[in-house]
PDB file of all heavy atoms in Angstrom:
ATOM      1  N   ILE K 723      12.501  13.899  -6.195  1.00 96.00           N
ATOM      2  CA  ILE K 723      13.557  13.896  -7.230  1.00 96.00           C
ATOM      3  C   ILE K 723      14.668  12.927  -6.853  1.00 96.00           C
ATOM      4  O   ILE K 723      15.132  12.145  -7.684  1.00 96.00           O
ATOM      5  CB  ILE K 723      14.099  15.317  -7.415  1.00 96.00           C
ATOM      6  CG1 ILE K 723      13.016  16.222  -7.997  1.00 96.00           C
ATOM      7  CG2 ILE K 723      15.330  15.304  -8.320  1.00 96.00           C
ATOM      8  CD1 ILE K 723      13.377  17.684  -8.045  1.00 96.00           C
ATOM      9  N   VAL K 724      15.081  12.927  -5.594  1.00 96.00           N
ATOM     10  CA  VAL K 724      16.137  12.007  -5.143  1.00 96.00           C
ATOM     11  C   VAL K 724      15.640  10.565  -5.201  1.00 96.00           C
ATOM     12  O   VAL K 724      16.399   9.649  -5.578  1.00 96.00           O
ATOM     13  CB  VAL K 724      16.606  12.370  -3.731  1.00 96.00           C
ATOM     14  CG1 VAL K 724      17.578  11.334  -3.179  1.00 96.00           C
ATOM     15  CG2 VAL K 724      17.251  13.745  -3.730  1.00 96.00           C
ATOM     16  N   LEU K 725      14.355  10.345  -4.887  1.00 96.00           N
ATOM     17  CA  LEU K 725      13.787   8.985  -4.988  1.00 96.00           C
ATOM     18  C   LEU K 725      13.863   8.484  -6.410  1.00 96.00           C
ATOM     19  O   LEU K 725      14.295   7.324  -6.658  1.00 96.00           O
ATOM     20  CB  LEU K 725      12.327   9.027  -4.530  1.00 96.00           C
ATOM     21  CG  LEU K 725      11.518   7.756  -4.759  1.00 96.00           C
ATOM     22  CD1 LEU K 725      12.125   6.565  -4.024  1.00 96.00           C
ATOM     23  CD2 LEU K 725      10.069   7.948  -4.329  1.00 96.00           C
ATOM     24  N   ALA K 726      13.490   9.308  -7.386  1.00 95.00           N
ATOM     25  CA  ALA K 726      13.569   8.902  -8.786  1.00 95.00           C
ATOM     26  C   ALA K 726      15.013   8.589  -9.192  1.00 95.00           C
ATOM     27  O   ALA K 726      15.276   7.605  -9.904  1.00 95.00           O
ATOM     28  CB  ALA K 726      12.989  10.013  -9.683  1.00 95.00           C
ATOM     29  N   ALA K 727      15.959   9.411  -8.725  1.00 95.00           N
ATOM     30  CA  ALA K 727      17.354   9.165  -9.046  1.00 95.00           C
ATOM     31  C   ALA K 727      17.833   7.866  -8.449  1.00 95.00           C
ATOM     32  O   ALA K 727      18.570   7.096  -9.088  1.00 95.00           O
ATOM     33  CB  ALA K 727      18.208  10.339  -8.549  1.00 95.00           C
ATOM     34  N   GLY K 728      17.432   7.562  -7.208  1.00 94.00           N
ATOM     35  CA  GLY K 728      17.866   6.349  -6.535  1.00 94.00           C
ATOM     36  C   GLY K 728      17.401   5.079  -7.231  1.00 94.00           C
ATOM     37  O   GLY K 728      18.161   4.139  -7.444  1.00 94.00           O
ATOM     38  N   VAL K 729      16.094   5.030  -7.571  1.00 93.00           N
ATOM     39  CA  VAL K 729      15.567   3.817  -8.186  1.00 93.00           C
ATOM     40  C   VAL K 729      16.102   3.630  -9.603  1.00 93.00           C
ATOM     41  O   VAL K 729      16.259   2.500 -10.093  1.00 93.00           O
ATOM     42  CB  VAL K 729      14.035   3.791  -8.197  1.00 93.00           C
ATOM     43  CG1 VAL K 729      13.483   3.724  -6.790  1.00 93.00           C
ATOM     44  CG2 VAL K 729      13.448   4.971  -8.952  1.00 93.00           C
ATOM     45  N   ALA K 730      16.419   4.739 -10.307  1.00 92.00           N
ATOM     46  CA  ALA K 730      17.029   4.611 -11.622  1.00 92.00           C
ATOM     47  C   ALA K 730      18.483   4.148 -11.513  1.00 92.00           C
ATOM     48  O   ALA K 730      18.964   3.347 -12.315  1.00 92.00           O
ATOM     49  CB  ALA K 730      16.976   5.954 -12.344  1.00 92.00           C
ATOM     50  N   LEU K 731      19.193   4.637 -10.475  1.00 92.00           N
ATOM     51  CA  LEU K 731      20.620   4.316 -10.312  1.00 92.00           C
ATOM     52  C   LEU K 731      20.860   2.851 -10.006  1.00 92.00           C
ATOM     53  O   LEU K 731      21.815   2.237 -10.515  1.00 92.00           O
ATOM     54  CB  LEU K 731      21.210   5.174  -9.180  1.00 92.00           C
ATOM     55  CG  LEU K 731      22.657   4.861  -8.766  1.00 92.00           C
ATOM     56  CD1 LEU K 731      23.606   5.176  -9.928  1.00 92.00           C
ATOM     57  CD2 LEU K 731      23.029   5.700  -7.548  1.00 92.00           C
ATOM     58  N   ARG K 732      20.004   2.203  -9.213  1.00 89.00           N
ATOM     59  CA  ARG K 732      20.318   0.879  -8.708  1.00 89.00           C
ATOM     60  C   ARG K 732      20.345  -0.194  -9.798  1.00 89.00           C
ATOM     61  O   ARG K 732      20.825  -1.290  -9.584  1.00 89.00           O
ATOM     62  CB  ARG K 732      19.366   0.481  -7.592  1.00 89.00           C
ATOM     63  CG  ARG K 732      17.925   0.342  -7.927  1.00 89.00           C
ATOM     64  CD  ARG K 732      17.118   0.106  -6.667  1.00 89.00           C
ATOM     65  NE  ARG K 732      15.700  -0.050  -6.950  1.00 89.00           N
ATOM     66  CZ  ARG K 732      14.764  -0.179  -6.009  1.00 89.00           C
ATOM     67  NH1 ARG K 732      15.116  -0.163  -4.728  1.00 89.00           N
ATOM     68  NH2 ARG K 732      13.500  -0.321  -6.331  1.00 89.00           N
ATOM     69  N   GLY K 733      19.802   0.085 -10.989  1.00 84.00           N
ATOM     70  CA  GLY K 733      19.855  -0.873 -12.062  1.00 84.00           C
ATOM     71  C   GLY K 733      20.976  -0.620 -13.065  1.00 84.00           C
ATOM     72  O   GLY K 733      21.029  -1.281 -14.101  1.00 84.00           O
ATOM     73  N   VAL K 739      26.569  -0.442  -6.792  1.00 92.00           N
ATOM     74  CA  VAL K 739      25.610   0.549  -7.319  1.00 92.00           C
ATOM     75  C   VAL K 739      24.184   0.185  -6.892  1.00 92.00           C
ATOM     76  O   VAL K 739      23.380   1.103  -6.599  1.00 92.00           O
ATOM     77  CB  VAL K 739      25.722   0.621  -8.855  1.00 92.00           C
ATOM     78  CG1 VAL K 739      24.661   1.533  -9.433  1.00 92.00           C
ATOM     79  CG2 VAL K 739      27.094   1.107  -9.275  1.00 92.00           C
ATOM     80  N   LEU K 740      23.887  -1.076  -6.851  1.00 91.00           N
ATOM     81  CA  LEU K 740      22.554  -1.534  -6.390  1.00 91.00           C
ATOM     82  C   LEU K 740      22.288  -1.088  -4.973  1.00 91.00           C
ATOM     83  O   LEU K 740      21.233  -0.515  -4.659  1.00 91.00           O
ATOM     84  CB  LEU K 740      22.487  -3.057  -6.488  1.00 91.00           C
ATOM     85  CG  LEU K 740      21.248  -3.737  -5.901  1.00 91.00           C
ATOM     86  CD1 LEU K 740      19.990  -3.303  -6.629  1.00 91.00           C
ATOM     87  CD2 LEU K 740      21.395  -5.256  -5.973  1.00 91.00           C
ATOM     88  N   LEU K 742      23.913   1.308  -3.313  1.00 93.00           N
ATOM     89  CA  LEU K 742      23.950   2.762  -3.244  1.00 93.00           C
ATOM     90  C   LEU K 742      22.630   3.378  -3.701  1.00 93.00           C
ATOM     91  O   LEU K 742      22.088   4.280  -3.047  1.00 93.00           O
ATOM     92  CB  LEU K 742      25.122   3.272  -4.095  1.00 93.00           C
ATOM     93  CG  LEU K 742      25.280   4.829  -4.132  1.00 93.00           C
ATOM     94  CD1 LEU K 742      25.557   5.359  -2.725  1.00 93.00           C
ATOM     95  CD2 LEU K 742      26.422   5.197  -5.085  1.00 93.00           C
ATOM     96  N   GLY K 743      22.113   2.879  -4.835  1.00 93.00           N
ATOM     97  CA  GLY K 743      20.843   3.388  -5.327  1.00 93.00           C
ATOM     98  C   GLY K 743      19.695   3.106  -4.373  1.00 93.00           C
ATOM     99  O   GLY K 743      18.820   3.936  -4.138  1.00 93.00           O
ATOM    100  N   SER K 744      19.714   1.896  -3.776  1.00 91.00           N
ATOM    101  CA  SER K 744      18.673   1.549  -2.807  1.00 91.00           C
ATOM    102  C   SER K 744      18.727   2.434  -1.583  1.00 91.00           C
ATOM    103  O   SER K 744      17.701   2.915  -1.077  1.00 91.00           O
ATOM    104  CB  SER K 744      18.835   0.076  -2.386  1.00 91.00           C
ATOM    105  OG  SER K 744      18.664  -0.779  -3.500  1.00 91.00           O
ATOM    106  N   ALA K 745      19.941   2.705  -1.091  1.00 93.00           N
ATOM    107  CA  ALA K 745      20.116   3.580   0.076  1.00 93.00           C
ATOM    108  C   ALA K 745      19.653   5.003  -0.247  1.00 93.00           C
ATOM    109  O   ALA K 745      19.015   5.683   0.587  1.00 93.00           O
ATOM    110  CB  ALA K 745      21.557   3.568   0.525  1.00 93.00           C
ATOM    111  N   LEU K 746      19.977   5.461  -1.458  1.00 95.00           N
ATOM    112  CA  LEU K 746      19.585   6.828  -1.861  1.00 95.00           C
ATOM    113  C   LEU K 746      18.055   6.935  -1.941  1.00 95.00           C
ATOM    114  O   LEU K 746      17.463   7.903  -1.441  1.00 95.00           O
ATOM    115  CB  LEU K 746      20.195   7.145  -3.221  1.00 95.00           C
ATOM    116  CG  LEU K 746      20.087   8.593  -3.714  1.00 95.00           C
ATOM    117  CD1 LEU K 746      20.819   9.528  -2.785  1.00 95.00           C
ATOM    118  CD2 LEU K 746      20.631   8.690  -5.140  1.00 95.00           C
ATOM    119  N   ALA K 747      17.413   5.919  -2.527  1.00 94.00           N
ATOM    120  CA  ALA K 747      15.953   5.931  -2.628  1.00 94.00           C
ATOM    121  C   ALA K 747      15.314   5.890  -1.243  1.00 94.00           C
ATOM    122  O   ALA K 747      14.362   6.620  -0.942  1.00 94.00           O
ATOM    123  CB  ALA K 747      15.474   4.730  -3.453  1.00 94.00           C
ATOM    124  N   ALA K 748      15.850   5.041  -0.354  1.00 91.00           N
ATOM    125  CA  ALA K 748      15.298   4.926   1.000  1.00 91.00           C
ATOM    126  C   ALA K 748      15.504   6.195   1.804  1.00 91.00           C
ATOM    127  O   ALA K 748      14.642   6.572   2.614  1.00 91.00           O
ATOM    128  CB  ALA K 748      15.928   3.726   1.715  1.00 91.00           C
ATOM    129  N   SER K 807      12.815  -1.764 -12.651  1.00 85.00           N
ATOM    130  CA  SER K 807      13.177  -0.967 -11.502  1.00 85.00           C
ATOM    131  C   SER K 807      13.297   0.518 -11.880  1.00 85.00           C
ATOM    132  O   SER K 807      12.814   1.387 -11.147  1.00 85.00           O
ATOM    133  CB  SER K 807      14.514  -1.437 -10.922  1.00 85.00           C
ATOM    134  OG  SER K 807      14.872  -0.704  -9.784  1.00 85.00           O
ATOM    135  N   ALA K 811      10.818   5.070 -11.340  1.00 91.00           N
ATOM    136  CA  ALA K 811      11.156   6.488 -11.249  1.00 91.00           C
ATOM    137  C   ALA K 811      10.081   7.371 -11.885  1.00 91.00           C
ATOM    138  O   ALA K 811       9.962   8.539 -11.533  1.00 91.00           O
ATOM    139  CB  ALA K 811      12.507   6.747 -11.882  1.00 91.00           C
TER     140      ALA K 811
END
Side-chain angles (χ1 to χ4, degrees):
I723 294 171
V724 173
L725 171 60
V729 295
L731 174 64
R732 64 186 180 185
V739 175
L740 172 63
L742 179 61
S744 298
L746 190 63
S807 182

